[in-house]
Amino acid sequence: MTVRVAAIQMCSGTAPERNAAVLADLVRDAAGQGATYVQTPEMTGALQRDRAALRAALRGDDDDVIVQTARKLSAELGIHLHIGSTAIGLSDGKIANRGFLFGPHGEKICHYDKIHMFDVDLDNGESWRESAAYTPGETARLADLPFGKLGFAICYDVRFPELFRRQAVAGAEIMTVPAAFTRQTGEAHWEILLRARAIENGFFVVAAAQGGVHEDGRETFGHSIIVDPWGRILAEAGPSGAAVITADLDIAAVAGARGKIPNLKNAREFSVAPLDVGARTSGGAIA
């Protein structure tokens, strides 16, 4: 089966309502190009460094403007619409970095909360502490859709290959990685990580990204990308600004790639034996 998918690149500002309007235009553009699955980037709703302003704008699932817009668009256009993520207020006062998948009748199929938190100090002086504001997810998701099995990750999750492997073993044929990579880390690792995840698991990867200099001052890498199970780039956007990229995915290529490189089938359990340093230094033999 072949499906046309789209990855939407954005440069989200601090106002969810404005971002929702941009989102609507880009999704309609993607659907007009024949895409029946459309993915938006991480933090579609807003990129906002000011934590107080972010919290003031937070809403629950049903009241969030991005969620409401996505419900209407998916039903209007008859597509599967995947909001890569947006900030959602939780009942305990914390925040979820939450992605949503909507079906062609506007129904919510599932949501996914980003599992791995980006806590890091970069060489350029930037410091990020996602765990200071966001509650990490605990559950991976796998959506069995008419055109294939869809797995979920968000941004920093791409650095944890076990998340991808477990979903591949569970049957994922398309892996989604909406993101807001910084320019610095994106230049170094974005493409190679996504291609590696596709190759080592034999599935398609669709990664919609934020790109450009944002209203809150941060800069993201862009280069939204779609990769096939052999690691080949099917479509890629530029470094900044709004864009729509599309590709036709032949889902049979997943079985073909896994048949040629059957590493999922050949994987074995193993243990790691700690080295006895004392035995070496005392003249003992190391097997």
Side-chain angles (χ1 to χ4, degrees), residues 112-115 135-140:
Y112 167 73
D113 289 351
K114 184 177 180 180
I115 291 174
T135 298
E138 297 180 344
T139 305

Side-chain angles (χ1 to χ4, degrees), residues 142 148-150 166-174 203 254 258:
L142 191 64
K149 294 182 174 64
L150 199 73
R166 289 179 65 179
Q167 292 184 75
V169 170
E173 296 164 309
I174 304 170
F203 49 31
V254 173
R258 290 173 178 173

Side-chain angles (χ1 to χ4, degrees), residues 268-276:
R268 298 183 63 207
E269 293 296 324
F270 60 91
S271 61
V272 178
L275 179 65
D276 189 344

Side-chain angles (χ1 to χ4, degrees), residues 35-164:
T36 55
Y37 164 84
V38 180
Q39 180 192 129
T40 74
E42 180 184 26
M43 288 298 151
T44 292
L47 278 173
Q48 174 62 273
R49 285 179 188 260
D50 185 329
R51 292 285 167 79
L54 174 64
R55 289 184 182 280
L58 287 177
R59 300 292 183 269
D61 282 2
D62 293 336
D63 299 322
D64 181 81
V65 65
I66 297 297
V67 171
Q68 291 176 342
T69 300
R71 284 187 189 277
K72 294 175 183 176
L73 283 169
S74 58
E76 171 194 331
L77 301 169
I79 62 173
H80 284 89
L81 178 53
H82 176 189
I83 299 300
S85 85
T86 196
I88 294 294
L90 302 178
S91 58
D92 61 3
K94 295 182 180 179
I95 307 172
N97 187 345
R98 180 167 291 173
F100 295 88
L101 177 64
F102 295 95
H105 301 291
E107 74 280 15
K108 187 180 91 169
I109 294 173
C110 68
H111 74 257
Y112 167 73
D113 289 351
K114 184 177 180 180
I115 291 174
H116 299 97
M117 298 288 100
F118 187 48
D119 290 358
V120 67
D121 298 309
L122 299 177
D123 293 342
N124 66 356
E126 291 184 37
S127 180
W128 303 91
R129 290 290 181 274
E130 283 189 337
S131 63
Y134 294 91
T135 298
E138 297 180 344
T139 305
R141 306 284 183 191
L142 191 64
D144 192 352
L145 303 180
F147 54 82
K149 294 182 174 64
L150 199 73
F152 297 85
I154 296 174
C155 200
Y156 190 47
D157 283 335
V158 75
R159 296 185 183 274
F160 299 85
E162 62 274 17
L163 174 63
F164 290 71

